[in-house]
Amino acid sequence: MSELVLVPGVNNTRETWKGVIAALPATITGHPVDCVALPSVEEIAADLLERAPPRFHLAGFSFGGYVALAMLEQAPERIEGLALICTSSFADTEQQRAARDAAAAAAKRGEHMKLVEGPGAIALHPDAAGDPAIAALRLRIARDYGEKRFIAHQYASKARPDRTVLLATASMPCLLVAAEDDRVIPLDTMRRMQLSAPRARWVSVPRAGHLLPIEQPVVLAEALRHWIEPSQSTQRQGRVS
C-alpha cells in the first residue's frame, strides 16, 4: 500500500482532490490536506509534516507545489517520491510579487470572490469553464477556502525562495505534470523546470487549464498511478491524450 499526500493550491481545499482520489487504485491511499492560513510556505510545510504518515509519496498542485518543495527540503528522508503539478520551483519575479500584493489588498477590501469570479476565471480551460458542474465546483471550493487563507498564501508565495536546485539533487522518483493550456503556470515554465530534473517523468495533458485536478481528475490519477506503481504500467513519459 502506498501513501500519497495531496497538497492543494490557492483558492483550493482538500476537496480539489476528490475526483483524483476516486480514480486511484485501491493500492494507493490518498491523503488530501488543507493548507493553514500562515504567511510562510515553510511554516505550512512544517504543519503538514506533523500530520503526514511517517513515509509517503507527495503531490503538490500549484501553491501546493511550493509547499511540497519546502516539505522536501525539511524532511527528504520521509518522502518516497515527489510529484509537481501545474506549479513552479522558481521564486516570484518582481512583477508577480506586485500582483500578489495587489490581490491581497483587494481581498482585504472584501473582494476575494470578485477576484475568483473575474481574473481567476483564467484558471479553467474553456472546455471546463463551459461545464456548469465544474464551474460551480470551482466557485464553491474558493468560497470554502476563504479570504483569510487567500491573503496569507499570497504573502507565503511572494516570500518563497527558488528551490529549483532540489529537483536536480532529489534522489527519489519525481514526476512533473503540466497542462498544455495553463494560463497561470505556463507550459514553458514547467519545461524550464524539466531541464533541472532530467530524471523526472514528464507528462503534459492537452486541452487542460490550470485546474487540472478538477478538470481532468481521471487523467491525473492515471499519471500518478503510473508514477507510483511503474511496474504495473508500460506507459512512457510524454503527452497524455
Side-chain angles (χ1 to χ4, degrees):
M1 181 68 71
S2 297
E3 310 290 341
L4 174 61
V5 173
L6 298 149
V7 189
V10 164
N11 284 322
N12 295 168
T13 67
R14 67 180 65 195
E15 189 176 358
T16 303
W17 298 105
K18 186 175 180 180
V20 175
I21 292 172
L24 289 172
T27 52
I28 301 174
T29 300
H31 299 274
V33 299
D34 284 318
C35 293
V36 293
L38 292 170
S40 162
V41 165
E42 293 75 22
E43 289 181 89
I44 296 169
D47 174 73
L48 294 182
L49 284 168
E50 286 185 3
R51 296 183 276 125
R55 287 185 59 81
F56 54 94
H57 283 77
L58 176 62
F61 161 63
S62 194
F63 176 79
Y66 311 159
V67 176
L69 284 166
M71 293 170 73
L72 174 64
E73 187 173 71
Q74 292 177 22
E77 71 285 353
R78 293 177 57 189
I79 298 172
E80 297 180 327
L82 175 69
L84 298 174
I85 304 158
C86 299
T87 191
S88 172
S89 60
F90 308 112
D92 273 0
T93 63
E94 287 301 320
Q95 183 178 7
Q96 288 170 323
R97 293 187 185 104
R100 293 192 191 281
D101 282 338
K108 288 178 181 178
R109 295 193 300 268
E111 299 175 6
H112 171 234
M113 287 307 298
K114 184 177 179 180
L115 293 173
V116 173
E117 294 168 0
I122 68 168
L124 287 176
H125 185 277
D127 290 350
D131 184 323
I134 292 177
L137 177 62
R138 181 181 79 90
L139 294 179
R140 181 165 58 78
I141 289 176
R143 289 190 189 97
D144 291 343
Y145 173 86
E147 67 180 35
K148 182 179 179 181
R149 275 189 280 190
F150 180 82
I151 293 166
H153 294 169
Q154 293 306 307
Y155 293 138
S157 298
K158 175 185 172 181
R160 77 187 192 282
D162 189 309
R163 288 191 164 95
T164 307
V165 67
L166 295 179
L167 299 178
T169 58
S171 58
M172 71 285 292
C174 292
L175 170 69
L176 302 178
V177 183
E180 293 187 3
D181 299 302
D182 193 336
R183 291 184 287 171
V184 178
I185 304 290
L187 183 65
D188 286 350
T189 297
M190 294 207 68
R191 282 293 189 191
R192 287 196 291 124
M193 288 167 56
Q194 186 187 22
L195 295 176
S196 297
R199 293 174 294 174
R201 180 188 290 265
W202 168 268
V203 172
S204 62
V205 183
R207 300 193 67 80
H210 184 64
L211 281 171
L212 184 59
I214 291 175
E215 294 181 30
Q216 298 199 35
V218 174
V219 171
L220 180 53
E222 280 296 287
L224 291 168
R225 179 178 71 85
H226 292 315
W227 163 63
I228 293 172
E229 301 179 341
S231 62
Q232 305 299 316
S233 171
T234 58
Q235 175 177 303
R236 297 177 181 177
Q237 71 174 18
R239 195 169 185 262
V240 175
S241 60

